[in-house]
Amino acid sequence: MKIDLNSDLGESLGAWRMGDDAAMLKLVSSANVACGFHAGDAAGILQTLKEAQRNGVTVGAHVAYRDLVGFGRRNMDVASEDLVADVIYQIGALQGLAAAAGTRVRYVKPHGALYNTIAHDARQARDVIKAMLAVDSSLVLVALAGSPLIGWARDAGLRTVAEAFADRGYMPDGSLVSRREKGAVLHDAEAVAARMLRLVSEGVVADVNGNDVRIQADSICVHGDSPGAVEMARSVRERLQAAGVEIASFVADTAQAAG
């Protein structure tokens, strides 16, 4: 068995420090790196990219709505011409910084409200897909497991990777519990690790009601900004590896993360 382990990184902004990128990059196999629209400054993003390169971690563009104040978690009805251009802009910016760090952008994972919106909103989904194809058709799209977005992207010619969330609660239909609701974010590292082992070995996770919901995923996300994120990522990694699960990027020619 093999699974990718990813985290949202590069999200510090000036004096505001978010997460521990250096520690997370020793645990994950893929890094969703902020592109400056929801979080991140150029110097910090570059440092994160250099750390990713040193650890053999695959780099992806964590594109978002233009929403620094709301950390990209506010829903926005963005015109198509703006959304396409914004996504192209973010990917291009990260590609330039990645080249300077000796690595390259291999995939795109939308962030926050954009991620949740395009999972089901066909118009905004098409905009993100159009932007990716305009930049590099070999880019992989990371999307919510079981969402219509996966089919739309594949139909357009993009390779997709279905993603599950280690530290987020699930609704009975396989969608994520809203961050405004109780049970949206999980904090018990050992419980989360056991939960992810069930996901990989059985293809199920428990929803908010305690019932199993089937999730078919090729990548697991641990949010880098969550309290105890490093401990949680380490627990998930160690539990999976102890069960014989290989932690490796979904990009075949990228080295596995160190450790």
Side-chain angles (χ1 to χ4, degrees), residues 162-247:
E163 178 183 44
F165 288 83
D167 51 2
R168 290 295 306 277
Y170 277 88
M171 299 295 290
D173 64 356
S175 63
L176 300 178
V177 176
S178 168
R179 284 183 177 270
R180 296 185 295 271
E181 303 296 330
K182 182 179 179 181
V185 181
L186 310 179
H187 302 287
D188 186 324
E190 290 304 315
V192 165
R195 174 185 174 90
M196 289 301 96
L197 180 57
R198 283 200 72 208
L199 171 76
V200 176
S201 59
E202 302 175 39
V204 297
V205 296
D207 66 18
V208 289
N209 301 316
N211 300 315
D212 286 346
V213 56
R214 187 154 294 280
I215 303 287
Q216 180 61 47
D218 301 303
S219 185
I220 294 171
C221 176
V222 176
H223 285 96
D225 65 314
S226 298
V230 172
E231 177 190 354
M232 188 169 293
R234 183 177 292 110
S235 294
V236 170
R237 182 183 178 99
E238 290 176 351
R239 179 68 65 92
L240 293 177
Q241 288 182 319
V245 179
E246 179 186 3
I247 305 298

Side-chain angles (χ1 to χ4, degrees), residues 63 80 83-88 91 108-110 114 118-143 147-160:
V63 301
S80 289
L83 185 54
V84 171
D86 281 353
V87 173
I88 290 172
I91 297 171
V108 171
K109 176 187 166 182
L114 180 60
I118 68 172
H120 301 282
D121 185 304
R123 194 270 296 176
Q124 291 201 35
R126 285 194 301 268
D127 295 340
V128 173
I129 291 167
K130 181 178 180 180
M132 290 176 62
L133 291 171
V135 175
D136 182 354
S137 61
S138 73
L139 289 168
V140 179
L141 177 63
V142 176
S147 67
L149 174 59
I150 291 177
W152 297 332
R154 288 176 178 170
D155 289 345
L158 286 177
R159 181 187 164 198
T160 63

Side-chain angles (χ1 to χ4, degrees), residues 31-158:
N32 321 312
V33 182
C35 303
F37 271 36
H38 78 280
D41 58 63
I45 291 169
L46 181 59
Q47 182 59 39
T48 295
L49 290 166
K50 289 178 178 178
E51 290 285 346
Q53 193 278 334
R54 279 193 286 269
N55 285 280
V57 174
T58 300
V59 167
H62 205 30
V63 301
Y65 291 132
R66 191 186 294 270
D67 182 26
L68 279 175
V69 172
F71 198 64
R73 288 178 175 157
R74 297 185 292 187
N75 293 326
M76 293 188 172
D77 184 15
V78 183
S80 289
E81 63 179 12
D82 292 326
L83 185 54
V84 171
D86 281 353
V87 173
I88 290 172
Y89 185 95
Q90 290 175 83
I91 297 171
L94 197 69
Q95 285 177 325
L97 289 166
T103 186
R104 58 183 291 207
V105 177
R106 306 306 300 272
Y107 67 94
V108 171
K109 176 187 166 182
H111 164 81
L114 180 60
Y115 181 98
N116 291 324
T117 296
I118 68 172
H120 301 282
D121 185 304
R123 194 270 296 176
Q124 291 201 35
R126 285 194 301 268
D127 295 340
V128 173
I129 291 167
K130 181 178 180 180
M132 290 176 62
L133 291 171
V135 175
D136 182 354
S137 61
S138 73
L139 289 168
V140 179
L141 177 63
V142 176
L144 181 66
S147 67
L149 174 59
I150 291 177
W152 297 332
R154 288 176 178 170
D155 289 345
L158 286 177

Side-chain angles (χ1 to χ4, degrees), residues 12-29:
S12 294
L13 181 62
W16 180 42
R17 311 312 298 170
M18 177 70 79
D20 186 345
D21 289 7
M24 289 295 282
L25 285 165
K26 291 179 170 57
L27 300 169
V28 300
S29 45

